[in-house]
């Protein structure tokens, strides 16, 4: 793609003079506006004022400069599309092949704690419009949003006098990413400025807000849940509620008509159960770890009934989530003024969504970890019994929502399924069994010979099997994939343990 014309409009002037001098030497016509045009003029670089393209002067204190049919068309029409070319010629549209644009410094202005009117004036409108248009049409237009990219682009043009498709793709992705980050910072800061933020973040000295992101096709999401009563929901409440909501949703998809109850504390499911009766599901979940359940977040997959409300009446919980609440249940809960009730349909298992996490200077994006393996392979001399499959599948789902490294123990109880206990968040997987699970089982005096032990990742050594055997475990599920799988299988055979491999790891950091 040879360059004939470039539109230059930058807030950060770093490197722009040298780069534009180079482009001019290459015979590229420069179109510019505002402060950028002034900088070019001061350095003796010829340019075409934007007014000659748009047919209109800058207006409203610089708020209107580049937004126009002429600029948008020059960026968006398809050069290899005959009808587009004919329309462009008829309308007098001349192509713009390169956009060099970085945006008004909204983030910098926000960091400096400037007043709201100044923040508003630093919301760029024309810049993002140009950038998005150029990036969308990357097959024919290059878009540069960072001065850091000038040297590499100059080197490429010096060698080939063209901008390759590979470079244009890379620049387009960077452009879209920057626009997403820019819009996110505006939404977050204005939420604080306009009183729409949460009370605080994980700790009182941290600011926080909830921004709805429509990354799923469903109209029913936790972020849009109907709040029936209670005080403001906190940042930590939302994090815990999300874990409870997703775990309950996935269990519900395989539970048939059974009720599901998930209790989450500090991001970890501490009580989970499934039963034909919703009250029994609650009691089984609560009994798994009644200490941690205190002040927890509960999610049900069925309407919360009067019996459930009566059970929780004298217990301290922060949030209850359910598809609905009976009138009798709401009346009972109304006496607990601070208790939040969230009415929300559960997540459909077919809905795939992105999960986002920030790191310093960036955002990590990935698919939500949905579903469990359907290729379960019994690998020991004692075959994994089919009658343990309901417990196994229940445990595989719940283990996904425990913090890695983790081990969970699951069993049939009172005609239902429940978590017995777990060891989570350990850098050493063996510690999950020997220090956490062993201690808790000793406290509970619980026999786990009929339970299923589930690991979120493979066992790197046979020592975990030895520890599980010491607890009386006879059934194990793990992904497999270690170079020492044969040693682990051999250990199971020595101890008369049945083990199944799933081939699917479920880390949750």
């Amino acid at each position: 793609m040879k360059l004939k014309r470039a539109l230059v409009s930058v807030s950060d002037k770093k490197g722009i003079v040298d780069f534009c001098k180079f482009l001019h030497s290459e015979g590229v016509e420069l179109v510019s506006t505002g402060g950028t045009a002034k900088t070019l003029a001061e350095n003796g670089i010829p340019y075409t004022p934007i007014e000659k393209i748009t047919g209109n002067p800058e207006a409203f204190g610089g708020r209107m400069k580049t937004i126009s049919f002429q600029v948008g068309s020059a960026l968006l029409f398809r050069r290899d599309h005959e009808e587009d070319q004919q329309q462009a010629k008829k309308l007098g549209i001349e192509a713009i092949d390169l956009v060099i644009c970085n945006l008004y410094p909204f983030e910098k202005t926000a960091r400096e704690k400037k007043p709201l009117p100044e923040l508003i004036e630093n919301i760029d409108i024309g810049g993002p419009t140009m950038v998005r248009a150029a990036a969308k049409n990357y097959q024919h237009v290059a878009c540069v949003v960072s001065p850091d990219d000038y040297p590499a682009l100059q080197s490429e043009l010096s060698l080939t006098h063209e901008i390759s498709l590979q470079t244009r793709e890379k620049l387009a992705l960077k452009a879209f990413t920057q626009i997403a980050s820019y819009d996110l910072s505006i939404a977050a800061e204005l939420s604080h400025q306009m009183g729409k933020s949460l009370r605080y973040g994980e700790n009182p000295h941290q600011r926080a807000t909830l921004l709805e992101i429509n990354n799923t096709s469903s109209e029913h999401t936790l972020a849009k849940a109907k709040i029936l009563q209670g005080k403001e929901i906190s940042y930590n409440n939302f994090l815990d509620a999300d874990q409870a909501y997703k775990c309950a949703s996935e269990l519900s998809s395989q539970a048939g008509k059974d009720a599901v109850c998930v209790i989450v504390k500090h991001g970890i499911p501490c009580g989970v159960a499934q039963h034909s009766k919703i009250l029994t599901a609650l009691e089984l979940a609560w009994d798994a770890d009644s200490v941690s359940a205190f002040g927890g977040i509960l999610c049900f997959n069925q309407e919360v009934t009067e019996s459930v409300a009566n059970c929780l009446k004298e217990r301290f919980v922060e949030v209850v989530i359910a598809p609905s609440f009976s009138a009798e249940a709401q009346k009972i809960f109304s006496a607990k003024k601070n208790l939040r009730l969230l009415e929300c349909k559960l997540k459909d298992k077919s809905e795939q969504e992105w999960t986002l996490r920030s790191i310093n200077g960036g955002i990590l994006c990935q698919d939500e970890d949905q579903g469990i393996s359907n290729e379960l392979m019994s690998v020991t001399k004692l075959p994994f019994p089919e009658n343990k499959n309901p417990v196994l599948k229940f445990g595989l789902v719940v283990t996904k929502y425990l913090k890695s490294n983790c081990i969970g123990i699951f069993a049939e109880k009172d005609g239902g399924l429940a978590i017995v206990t777990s060891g989570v968040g350990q850098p050493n997987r063996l510690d999950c069994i020997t220090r956490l699970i062993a201690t808790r089982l000793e406290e509970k005096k619980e026999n786990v010979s009929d339970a299923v032990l589930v690991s979120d990742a493979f066992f790197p050594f046979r020592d975990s099997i030895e520890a599980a055997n010491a607890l009386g475990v006879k059934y194990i599920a793990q992904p497999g994939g270690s170079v020492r799988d044969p040693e682990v299988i051999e250990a199971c055979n020595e101890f008369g343990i049945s083990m199944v491999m799933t081939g699917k790891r479920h880390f949750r950091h």
Side-chain angles (χ1 to χ4, degrees), residues 178-484:
Q178 187 183 90
I179 295 300
S181 175
Y182 191 75
D183 287 342
L184 182 63
S185 68
I186 292 171
E189 184 61 32
L190 292 188
S191 292
H192 295 302
Q193 292 280 341
M194 297 176 176
K196 301 296 182 183
S197 58
L198 301 174
R199 285 183 298 159
Y200 51 77
E202 283 185 283
N203 301 289
H205 61 275
Q206 294 172 270
R207 298 192 307 168
T209 191
L210 170 65
L211 304 175
E212 291 183 20
I213 300 176
N214 295 320
N215 64 347
T216 174
S217 60
S218 176
E219 296 179 3
H220 307 286
T221 65
L222 182 62
K224 296 180 180 179
K226 183 178 180 181
I227 302 173
L228 301 181
Q229 72 163 56
K231 64 182 180 180
E232 184 182 359
I233 302 173
S234 72
Y235 180 94
N236 291 336
N237 290 156
F238 271 119
L239 287 179
D240 288 350
D242 185 59
Q243 290 292 87
Y245 174 78
K246 288 177 177 175
C247 183
S249 295
E250 192 161 351
L251 285 173
S252 185
S253 70
Q254 65 182 34
K257 295 182 179 180
D258 280 357
V260 168
C261 174
V262 178
I263 306 174
V264 168
K265 187 71 169 290
H266 291 297
I268 299 170
C270 59
V272 188
Q274 171 185 328
H275 198 276
S276 59
K277 297 178 181 178
I278 189 171
L279 179 59
T280 306
L282 167 60
E283 291 170 339
L284 287 172
W286 193 277
D287 289 345
D289 188 348
S290 58
V291 174
S292 297
F294 180 85
I297 308 292
L298 279 66
C299 186
F300 297 90
N301 69 332
Q302 296 180 4
E303 180 174 86
V304 169
T305 61
E306 181 180 5
S307 62
V308 170
N310 275 322
C311 181
L312 294 173
K313 184 168 59 174
E314 303 302 327
R315 302 179 184 187
F316 173 54
V317 296
E318 293 274 9
V319 180
V320 180
I321 310 163
S324 60
F325 296 81
S326 71
E328 295 80 8
Q330 289 188 58
K331 184 177 180 181
I332 294 168
F333 283 137
S334 66
K336 300 168 73 72
K337 300 298 183 184
N338 289 333
L339 173 63
R340 297 86 153 186
L341 300 184
L342 271 62
E343 187 175 270
C344 183
K345 290 184 178 179
L346 295 193
K347 183 175 178 286
D348 189 294
K349 67 176 181 179
S350 65
E351 294 170 5
Q352 183 65 61
E353 63 178 305
W354 289 97
T355 63
L356 309 176
R357 292 181 70 176
S358 64
I359 61 170
N360 182 245
I363 296 176
L364 295 171
C365 309
Q366 68 170 350
D367 291 331
E368 177 68 46
D369 182 9
Q370 296 188 177
I372 57 175
S373 176
N374 291 319
E375 299 179 6
L376 306 177
M377 183 170 60
S378 183
V379 295
T380 48
K381 289 180 180 178
L382 287 175
F384 197 88
E386 287 189 14
N387 65 355
K388 292 295 178 185
N389 281 343
V391 182
L392 170 62
K393 292 181 179 180
F394 176 86
L396 288 174
V397 171
V398 177
T399 302
K400 288 198 319 177
Y401 294 92
L402 302 175
K403 297 293 184 182
S404 302
N405 284 324
C406 74
I407 300 288
I409 294 186
F410 307 89
E412 295 181 32
K413 289 201 168 193
D414 297 336
L417 306 172
I419 187 170
V420 176
T421 190
S422 65
V424 303
Q426 300 303 301
N428 181 332
R429 184 170 301 278
L430 183 61
D431 283 350
C432 292
I433 303 175
T434 59
R435 298 190 179 211
L436 298 178
I437 290 179
T439 300
R440 291 168 183 169
L441 290 179
E442 175 63 25
E443 291 172 351
K444 297 174 81 168
K445 306 297 181 186
E446 187 141 6
N447 185 313
V448 292
S449 59
D450 284 330
V452 177
L453 182 150
V454 180
S455 175
D456 64 343
F458 65 62
F459 294 114
F461 302 100
R462 61 174 282 153
D463 52 6
S464 292
I465 305 302
E466 293 168 353
N469 179 65
L471 298 178
V473 171
K474 292 299 178 185
Y475 308 100
I476 292 178
Q478 57 126 333
S482 168
V483 294
R484 293 186 176 85

Side-chain angles (χ1 to χ4, degrees), residues 118-187:
E118 190 169 343
L119 271 177
I120 297 299
E121 288 308 313
N122 276 278
I123 297 175
D124 204 324
I125 305 300
T129 302
M130 288 192 301
V131 167
R132 289 176 65 87
K136 175 176 179 175
N137 206 20
Y138 70 86
Q139 291 186 342
H140 311 289
V141 182
C143 181
V144 184
V145 295
S146 171
D148 295 341
D149 292 319
Y150 300 163
L153 196 57
Q154 183 170 328
S155 295
E156 182 173 336
L157 286 166
S158 296
L159 289 171
T160 66
H161 304 288
E162 294 183 345
I163 301 177
S164 68
L165 177 60
Q166 183 181 16
T167 297
R168 279 175 273 142
E169 288 176 343
K170 180 180 176 182
L171 292 172
L173 179 58
K174 190 169 185 176
F176 282 124
T177 301
Q178 187 183 90
I179 295 300
S181 175
Y182 191 75
D183 287 342
L184 182 63
S185 68
I186 292 171

